[in-house]
Amino acid sequence: MTLADSQLREYLNHLIVERGLSKNTISSYRRDLERFLADSQISDFTLVSSSEVENFVALARARGLAESSVARAVVAIRNAVAFICKEAHALNQIKDVKPPRVKMRLPKALSIAEISDLIAATQSPGDPRALRETAIVELLYGTGARISEIVALNIVDVMKVDGGEVLSLRLTGKGGKVRVVPLGSFARSALDQYLVRTRPTLISKNREALFLNDRGGRLSRQTMWKLVSEAARRANISTEVSPHSLRHSYATHLLDGGADVRVVQELLGHASVTTTQIYTLVTIDKLRENYASAHPRAKSR
């Protein structure tokens, strides 16, 4: 094992133990940093120079890596070098290196009609397994949760009043941050149906997980992603639909309905309101479109 490999392992352990980052974030950091090590052939992170980062960026672009992925990798390199240099009391040569600017892409939200079609496509009378699919889609849209947060739900995270009706969910987001989100009547009903009619038939080795697969284990994010994609195909939705599309739709529809942006921030689990404000741009674009098509003095001559 080289010195750089040892430094990388120490840094990733710091992210896991001290920063409490999620497995998915750790995997992304590891992948980006291992790619950088392979491309740059450096033997010591404290010796990384700005020219080596620039060469890595050029090579990543030549391979066709998306600009957002390039920017993420540069941030990973910069953060790792900063930590390792601080621990080694060494000079950080890339402290002023900035990641490439990425053009902000507005999140794609489904219409309310498309959401209804998507949920309808999960339903199959007489099939208990379909109740699981409906509950998943209803929760993704009804809470704005990330797919990783829904996958990680345990039965104890379903919060009831005096053991009766389900009213809210306890979600564990990025960095282990916990938040409680309310459930609407449709999501509550779908979850109740799954808990009463489907989950008891699946329980075997895993009694903690909320959503179980057909073998009784925790449902994976890959399977959950596939369930949503296939439901979208059956609903004849032309745009690409993922679990994150439902999170975008949740935020957009709340803001369209007049919800305060800081309330939406709390519901989504965003650390900064700036992230949530991206969704306000979507609603502003809609307002512009409606104004341009409806107002008599907005149309060009």
Side-chain angles (χ1 to χ4, degrees):
M1 178 182 291
T2 67
L3 175 59
D5 290 330
S6 177
Q7 290 169 331
L8 174 57
R9 185 171 66 176
E10 181 182 359
Y11 175 60
L12 293 175
N13 189 58
H14 159 73
L15 296 181
I16 295 169
V17 176
E18 297 182 36
R19 294 279 305 280
L21 299 186
S22 69
K23 290 181 181 179
N24 294 329
T25 303
I26 298 297
S27 295
S28 294
Y29 267 77
R30 178 182 287 109
R31 184 170 56 251
D32 290 336
L33 293 169
E34 287 178 346
R35 184 185 290 128
F36 174 66
L37 285 180
D39 288 345
S40 63
Q41 296 294 306
I42 63 164
S43 58
D44 185 345
F45 270 98
T46 65
L47 302 179
V48 173
S49 66
S50 57
S51 62
E52 285 167 326
V53 178
E54 290 168 2
N55 290 338
F56 171 77
V57 169
L59 184 57
R61 285 170 172 163
R63 288 172 174 160
L65 201 65
E67 199 69 4
S68 58
S69 298
V70 176
R72 184 197 64 208
V74 172
V75 170
I77 296 165
R78 190 177 63 179
N79 290 348
V81 170
F83 171 80
I84 293 165
C85 285
K86 182 178 179 181
E87 292 293 302
H89 303 288
L91 177 66
N92 180 357
Q93 302 179 58
I94 66 167
K95 64 179 181 179
D96 295 324
V97 170
K98 291 181 171 54
R101 291 180 64 87
V102 180
K103 184 178 179 181
M104 186 180 65
R105 293 185 303 169
L106 296 181
K108 297 287 186 181
L110 299 175
S111 68
I112 295 176
E114 287 174 326
I115 292 290
S116 297
D117 290 343
L118 179 66
I119 293 170
T122 66
Q123 298 167 349
S124 178
D127 181 3
R129 298 296 193 275
L131 297 175
R132 176 183 58 191
E133 191 171 336
T134 302
I136 288 170
V137 173
E138 285 279 14
L139 289 191
L140 285 167
Y141 176 63
T143 66
R146 302 173 180 92
I147 184 174
S148 57
E149 294 170 343
I150 296 295
V151 168
L153 280 171
N154 289 323
I155 195 69
V156 295
D157 295 318
V158 178
M159 305 179 72
K160 300 182 178 183
V161 176
D162 297 328
E165 186 180 23
V166 176
L167 289 181
S168 55
L169 284 183
R170 181 170 52 226
L171 300 173
T172 303
K174 292 182 177 180
K177 184 179 178 182
V178 176
R179 68 187 188 280
V180 174
V181 295
L183 289 180
S185 60
F186 288 95
R188 291 202 304 267
S189 175
L191 183 55
D192 280 335
Q193 289 288 314
Y194 164 72
L195 289 173
V196 172
R197 298 178 55 191
T198 305
R199 189 175 180 277
T201 68
L202 301 174
I203 294 175
S204 59
K205 55 188 177 183
N206 192 325
R207 294 184 173 272
E208 294 182 354
L210 176 61
F211 286 110
L212 303 173
N213 60 33
D214 291 347
R215 297 180 302 279
R218 187 182 297 274
L219 201 68
S220 69
R221 53 185 290 134
Q222 291 81 8
T223 301
M224 203 171 284
W225 188 289
K226 184 178 179 182
L227 290 176
V228 173
S229 297
E230 290 184 349
R233 178 183 53 78
R234 293 194 299 271
N236 295 317
I237 298 174
S238 57
T239 57
E240 183 179 350
V241 178
S242 70
H244 220 64
S245 304
L246 299 177
R247 179 171 166 85
H248 294 327
S249 304
Y250 170 84
T252 302
H253 297 166
L254 278 174
L255 290 167
D256 282 346
D260 183 86
V261 68
R262 291 199 177 274
V263 172
V264 178
Q265 175 196 354
E266 290 296 322
L267 291 170
L268 291 174
H270 285 158
S272 169
V273 73
T274 304
T275 307
T276 316
Q277 285 172 333
I278 293 173
Y279 294 99
T280 65
L281 299 178
V282 178
T283 60
I284 289 171
D285 277 353
K286 285 184 180 178
L287 289 173
R288 287 198 187 104
E289 289 175 9
N290 290 335
Y291 170 75
S293 63
H295 195 283
R297 302 293 287 182
K299 299 173 185 175
S300 59
R301 295 179 180 178

